[in-house]
Amino acid sequence: MSLIKLGIPKGSLEEATINLFGQAGWQIKPRSRHYYPEVDDPELSCALVRAQEMAPYVANGTLDLGLTGLDWILETQAEVVEICALTYSKSSNQPSRWVLVVPQDSPVRTVKDLEGKKVATELVGFTRRHLAEQGVAATVEFSWGATEAKVVEGLVDAAVEITETGSTIRAHGLRIVADLLYTETRLIANPAAMDDPAKRTKIEQIATMLQAALAARHKVVLKLNVAAGDLDAVVALLPSLHAPTVSHLYDGRWLAVETVVDAQAVRDLIPRLRAAGAEGILEFELRKMV
């Protein structure tokens, strides 16, 4: 019997989550028409669960651990332990946001202007509470999908919808009035599981390795050779967690330098390093960084 029952979000985050676990060291293999993927760890069992339902299943002990968005934790108000934030998705590494959208020609300019209006959203509970906090009385109805289309067709006055860039919203001829919530994936645990020493140790192991895998996605290792006389100029260009590692080559006039840098900086950094005298520059991807 497995020690930890893990919930994998089914749907848009499924593949990205399985890939993240793979980088962290766990191979999870979905099975056709099956809600229980295989995993290469006898202490784990997996279940595919919709992100919207994850927090309640973790809260009631059906699952010990799961991944879901902050939005669905707030929506369900489930009593779970938030272990850590994990910012990743199928398309970007930026948090998504729930926004209030209206037609371009709508008189609605602020949340306060929703008084007496009709709003469609999947995030019904959160939206109702947010409007109540603003002192706004509006009708909030659940949308099963195609929420933006309901605004376009005039079925509702506004919608609260999730987006990353806002490009799809603009493509539909809609206008973003306000950001209501920034959300990202959370690793959540059942409170009773966290009180169990064995389960807590396993959960903390999983959290550490997932965070290490995500941190590594933004960094690369650079290795290079440099003549002793050019060392100071080259090292001055190199950002590092602490300081670059420098070691002597067999030819005492040359040194080997190794450091970790931001992946996005490499395209500008390598030409500058070469101009400063660096040779044999190599770039390596990281799998994990703790």
Side-chain angles (χ1 to χ4, degrees), residues 151-170:
V151 182
V152 173
E153 294 166 4
L155 300 177
V156 295
D157 300 295
V160 174
E161 183 68 310
I162 193 167
T163 185
E164 287 184 358
T165 65
S167 58
T168 302
I169 289 171
R170 290 189 293 271

Side-chain angles (χ1 to χ4, degrees), residues 50-262:
R50 294 181 71 228
Q52 295 91 328
E53 301 174 312
M54 187 73 73
Y57 278 125
V58 172
N60 68 24
T62 301
L63 298 169
D64 297 302
L65 191 65
L67 296 96
T68 190
L70 172 63
D71 45 1
W72 299 116
I73 299 171
L74 296 176
E75 173 69 7
T76 60
Q77 297 185 299
E79 294 184 6
V80 297
V81 179
E82 294 186 33
I83 306 300
C84 61
L86 300 167
T87 304
Y88 71 99
S89 77
K90 63 178 181 179
S91 58
S92 77
N93 291 317
Q94 299 299 317
S96 296
R97 55 193 175 125
W98 285 87
V99 295
L100 174 65
V101 301
V102 297
Q104 285 287 355
D105 59 356
S106 171
V108 174
R109 297 293 169 181
T110 70
V111 173
K112 296 285 190 181
D113 296 331
L114 291 176
E115 182 72 29
K117 305 293 187 183
K118 183 183 292 186
V119 183
T121 184
E122 262 191 282
L123 210 64
V124 173
F126 172 85
T127 301
R128 286 174 176 164
R129 291 192 298 272
H130 183 83
L131 293 179
E133 290 169 2
Q134 299 293 316
V136 175
T139 300
V140 180
E141 62 180 38
F142 180 76
S143 174
W144 291 96
T147 308
E148 294 165 355
K150 293 174 183 175
V151 182
V152 173
E153 294 166 4
L155 300 177
V156 295
D157 300 295
V160 174
E161 183 68 310
I162 193 167
T163 185
E164 287 184 358
T165 65
S167 58
T168 302
I169 289 171
R170 290 189 293 271
H172 282 95
L174 301 177
R175 171 168 51 84
I176 295 176
V177 174
D179 295 344
L180 302 189
L181 172 68
Y182 279 83
T183 183
E184 59 190 348
T185 305
R186 294 285 203 273
L187 182 67
I188 58 173
N190 173 267
M194 292 299 290
D195 289 336
D196 182 309
K199 289 187 175 184
R200 185 185 186 97
T201 297
K202 187 67 176 181
I203 289 169
E204 290 175 345
Q205 175 203 5
I206 293 170
T208 296
M209 299 309 292
L210 292 177
Q211 289 176 299
L214 275 180
R217 291 184 175 182
H218 307 292
K219 303 287 185 179
V220 296
V221 174
L222 283 185
K223 292 186 177 184
L224 55 92
N225 296 331
V226 61
D230 295 325
L231 178 63
D232 288 344
V234 167
V235 169
L237 296 173
L238 292 174
S240 175
L241 292 175
H242 298 291
T245 299
V246 179
S247 56
H248 286 276
L249 298 178
Y250 182 76
D251 182 341
R253 297 170 301 175
W254 285 80
L255 302 111
V257 179
E258 180 177 335
T259 191
V260 176
V261 302
D262 289 333

